[in-house]
Amino acid sequence: MVLMKVLVYGSLNIDLLFFVDHIASPGETISSSSFERSAGGKGANQAAALAKAGLSVTMAGKIGHDGLFLLKLLESYGVDTSAVIRSDGATGQAIIQIDKNGQNCIVLYSGGNGEITLDEIEKTIAGFNAGDIIVLQNEIVHTGKIMERAKKQKMRICFNPSPFNEKIASLPLHTVDWLFVNEIEGAALAKLPPDTEPQTALDRLVKLFPSAEIILTAGNNGAFYGYGEKRESRGIVKSPVVDTTGAGDTFTGFFLAAREKNFSAAQSLAIAGKAASIAVSRKGAMESIPFEGEVFNIDRHLKN
Ligand code: RIB
């Protein structure tokens, strides 16, 4: 039997975390109570989440020599990093302020994430097969080309349009099989006001992208699922919030892994919610993501 593979083509960032009382306002200088340099990038975080949730994952992207520790960490989770190119430039960087409520504010420098070439994309995707999954976010260049090439390869496409910007609308979104959005991204993609009810945005997205499973996360209002006539939702799993960085990436990885392990959409929402609730109770992005075993009691409970 040929085993399905997951390719995450995405960003790898060095996260510079500043723990502050409040997010700095324009013109204000504030001190941080602590500082950490840690592993992140939406792509790398999602690769880590998928691997920690038990899937076989390859990471593709580009880093500089300063980012080698990211590869070591991903490899320690079982991620195949052979498709991450090393360049002479800098690795992507994220300056992250985390306030006393665990909420964050992020400034990105793309570094290697902005230097991926079409030739590298061609060589990487050629190594995957029909039915394999590709997971994409919006932190690297050529996302549209990657979608088209992956579709030609008959791969299944998972897309998380984050961070959201004006370029998203011009992507070939009809190729997508799973679309993960938060409520702001969902409303923007559905061309609705930002304060639109999550269910309304979800209904519109289901109509706009009929071949995609839509997963919409709505902060304290929980998470919503839509595909065809089917609708599911789950409330949040409460936990002490230390740092929300990477929680969305954890949710995406665990939801997708649960679906691939044949859990229902409702069960997958619950598993992903539990995983994200653990991630927010810890500092950092990639390192805050739980392992399958930490989420597994809910898994087993749901199967019975
Ligand atoms: O989603 C969280 C991630 O966003 C951080 O790890 C940071 O690198 C930014 O890409």
Side-chain angles (χ1 to χ4, degrees):
M1 189 179 92
V2 183
L3 285 178
M4 175 275 301
K5 292 186 288 185
V6 182
L7 169 65
V8 179
Y9 220 133
S11 55
L12 299 107
N13 289 338
I14 299 173
D15 285 357
L16 305 171
L17 309 178
F18 296 84
F19 290 86
V20 293
D21 175 75
H22 61 277
I23 307 292
S25 304
E28 188 184 20
T29 301
I30 56 174
S31 296
S32 60
S33 58
S34 68
F35 167 77
E36 277 172 37
R37 181 175 179 267
S38 70
K42 289 185 198 306
N45 295 341
Q46 292 178 17
L50 286 155
K52 286 180 172 189
L55 296 195
S56 167
V57 183
T58 299
M59 176 84 213
K62 191 173 269 185
I63 57 163
H65 300 291
D66 52 344
L68 292 177
F69 75 98
L70 301 172
L71 301 191
K72 285 214 175 77
L73 194 60
L74 283 169
E75 285 158 13
S76 76
Y77 304 143
V79 176
D80 173 359
T81 63
S82 56
V84 178
I85 311 278
R86 292 124 201 250
S87 80
D88 287 333
T91 300
Q93 314 274 325
I95 294 178
I96 307 182
Q97 295 179 56
I98 298 136
D99 74 12
K100 58 177 183 255
N101 300 315
Q103 300 305 315
N104 66 27
C105 171
I106 304 180
V107 179
L108 292 174
Y109 168 68
S110 64
N113 303 315
E115 292 163 14
I116 294 165
T117 67
L118 294 176
D119 189 44
E120 289 160 9
I121 291 165
E122 173 56 36
K123 284 190 183 123
T124 300
I125 295 184
F128 287 79
N129 299 307
D132 287 342
I133 296 175
I134 186 163
V135 181
L136 300 166
Q137 313 77 29
N138 191 33
E139 279 187 346
I140 60 170
V141 284
H142 302 314
T143 304
K145 296 269 184 234
I146 297 175
M147 283 178 175
E148 281 160 6
R149 183 62 187 87
K151 199 68 190 170
K152 203 169 145 208
Q153 202 77 358
K154 297 191 167 53
M155 295 176 80
R156 293 176 289 159
I157 301 175
C158 169
F159 183 47
N160 170 215
S162 187
F164 197 87
N165 58 23
E166 66 294 339
K167 280 190 286 175
I168 301 289
S170 62
L171 295 173
L173 296 176
H174 60 278
T175 61
V176 170
D177 298 279
W178 293 275
L179 182 66
F180 286 83
V181 288
N182 64 27
E183 72 265 55
I184 309 285
E185 295 157 354
L189 207 50
K191 298 198 168 49
L192 293 167
D195 56 354
T196 301
E197 286 297 316
Q199 292 94 333
T200 308
L202 181 72
D203 287 345
R204 178 76 70 89
L205 291 172
V206 168
K207 284 211 177 73
L208 284 173
F209 307 109
S211 52
E213 291 185 40
I214 312 286
I215 301 93
L216 188 151
T217 55
N220 285 336
N221 292 321
F224 299 81
Y225 170 92
Y227 180 69
E229 295 299 309
K230 195 173 172 64
R231 297 288 182 277
E232 300 286 355
S233 64
R234 284 278 165 151
I236 59 160
V237 179
K238 287 207 169 122
S239 64
V241 180
V242 173
D243 178 2
T244 54
T245 313
D249 302 326
T250 305
F251 188 97
T252 298
F254 270 81
F255 182 91
L256 199 55
R259 290 297 278 151
E260 281 307 292
K261 291 178 177 192
N262 290 325
F263 284 97
S264 70
Q267 289 169 332
S268 302
L269 286 180
I271 289 166
K274 170 80 176 164
S277 79
I278 296 172
V280 300
S281 70
R282 301 170 177 168
K283 281 186 180 179
M286 210 187 290
E287 285 150 294
S288 73
I289 301 168
F291 286 91
E292 185 181 21
E294 297 174 81
V295 187
F296 226 73
N297 51 354
I298 193 166
D299 213 278
R300 224 180 276 131
H301 167 74
L302 284 163
K303 274 208 148 166
N304 291 334

